[in-house]
Amino acid sequence: MSVNFNPYENYRIRVFENSGELRNYKKDVVVDNRRERVVLLIGQVAPDKFAIGYDIFFADGRRAGRLPSLEFGYFVREREVKLYFLGYIKQNRSRFLPSTIEAVDDLIRTIIQPGLF
C-alpha cells in the first residue's frame, strides 16, 4: 500500500522551538543490513518532551542525518516519536529498499500491538 501522508503526523506537537541540537540522545536502530542502515535518534528534553533526529545510510551511497532538535516540533512519548519516524519512512518509501519497508511494517505492528500476556 502506498502512503502519501504520515498516518502518525498527529503525534507531533507543532510548537517549534530553537533549542539547538541535542547532544544527549538515544539511538534506536530501525534497520541495519549490508546495504542500508536507518537509525532513529531520540532526545528527551523533559519527562514529556521528546525531540527527533535520524541517521540514514541509503543503499545508493547517500547519507542523511540530523541530530535531535525541537526545531521540527516535539512528541509527548517516546512511542510516538518511533511511530512518527516509521510513518515518515513509509511516506517516502520510494527512497528505501523493499526489505527496509518490510522491516518498518513489522516494527509498526510490534509497537501498536499491545502485549498479549
Side-chain angles (χ1 to χ4, degrees):
M1 176 177 97
S2 180
V3 177
N4 59 3
F5 68 97
N6 187 339
Y8 307 105
E9 177 68 37
N10 62 319
Y11 289 147
R12 181 170 62 150
I13 297 173
R14 295 176 148 273
V15 175
F16 307 113
E17 300 177 19
N18 186 5
S19 68
E21 296 175 331
L22 303 173
R23 300 288 179 186
N24 187 18
Y25 54 84
K26 173 183 158 185
K27 291 183 178 182
D28 193 359
V29 177
V30 175
V31 172
D32 187 6
N33 60 42
R34 294 182 334 177
R35 298 186 61 204
E36 202 161 55
R37 178 175 166 84
V38 179
V39 180
L40 169 62
L41 309 176
I42 302 171
Q44 185 171 7
V45 180
D48 61 349
K49 192 180 259 190
F50 294 87
I52 189 171
Y54 55 87
D55 196 14
I56 303 171
F57 294 90
F58 294 95
D60 63 4
R62 292 176 300 126
R63 180 178 184 201
R66 177 174 295 261
L67 290 175
S69 168
L70 297 175
E71 182 180 344
F72 300 106
Y74 68 90
F75 302 84
V76 175
R77 293 179 196 81
E78 186 175 336
R79 173 185 183 270
E80 294 171 357
V81 177
K82 291 178 183 180
L83 286 170
Y84 175 84
F85 184 67
L86 296 172
Y88 182 80
I89 292 172
K90 287 188 62 138
Q91 181 181 6
N92 295 284
R93 69 185 316 124
S94 63
R95 300 178 185 199
F96 296 93
L97 295 174
S99 60
T100 298
I101 300 303
E102 289 175 20
V104 165
D105 287 336
D106 291 342
L107 281 169
I108 289 173
R109 278 192 293 276
T110 301
I111 293 170
I112 62 175
Q113 184 177 38
L116 298 175
F117 300 101

